[in-house]
Amino acid sequence: MKGVSILYDESRHRRFIQIDLNEVDRDNETIEDLFDLIIAETPEEGESISMEEMKKLLKEDGKL
């Protein structure tokens, strides 16, 4: 997106977003769309597990 830059740290991890407000439309919807895009592309911190593994864990805990 024109006017938006993603900045990386020394380890090449995405760290910051730089927005040139002169380049980005000042319409609130555009900014909201930008944040929605950032959130959607940000990986979750936790690990994922299979459904079978989840069922096994719930059974072990007596919750299933």
Side-chain angles (χ1 to χ4, degrees), residues 7-15:
L7 306 176
Y8 296 84
D9 64 11
E10 304 82 32
S11 302
R12 299 291 300 152
H13 292 104
R14 292 183 288 182
R15 287 302 211 193

Side-chain angles (χ1 to χ4, degrees), residues 3-61:
V4 177
S5 302
I6 296 175
L7 306 176
Y8 296 84
D9 64 11
E10 304 82 32
S11 302
R12 299 291 300 152
H13 292 104
R14 292 183 288 182
R15 287 302 211 193
F16 306 100
I17 186 163
Q18 183 177 14
I19 302 170
D20 183 348
L21 294 177
N22 291 324
E23 293 291 328
V24 176
D25 185 15
R26 292 186 183 253
D27 178 24
N28 282 340
E29 269 188 52
T30 303
I31 299 298
E32 288 175 14
D33 290 345
L34 175 62
F35 284 121
D36 289 343
L37 177 65
I38 292 167
I39 291 167
E41 291 191 11
T42 301
E44 292 186 23
E45 296 293 324
E47 291 181 34
S48 61
I49 61 173
S50 69
M51 180 63 93
E52 289 76 26
E53 182 66 23
M54 177 58 77
K55 287 179 183 179
K56 179 183 170 190
L57 291 172
L58 290 171
K59 285 180 183 179
E60 287 174 1
D61 289 342

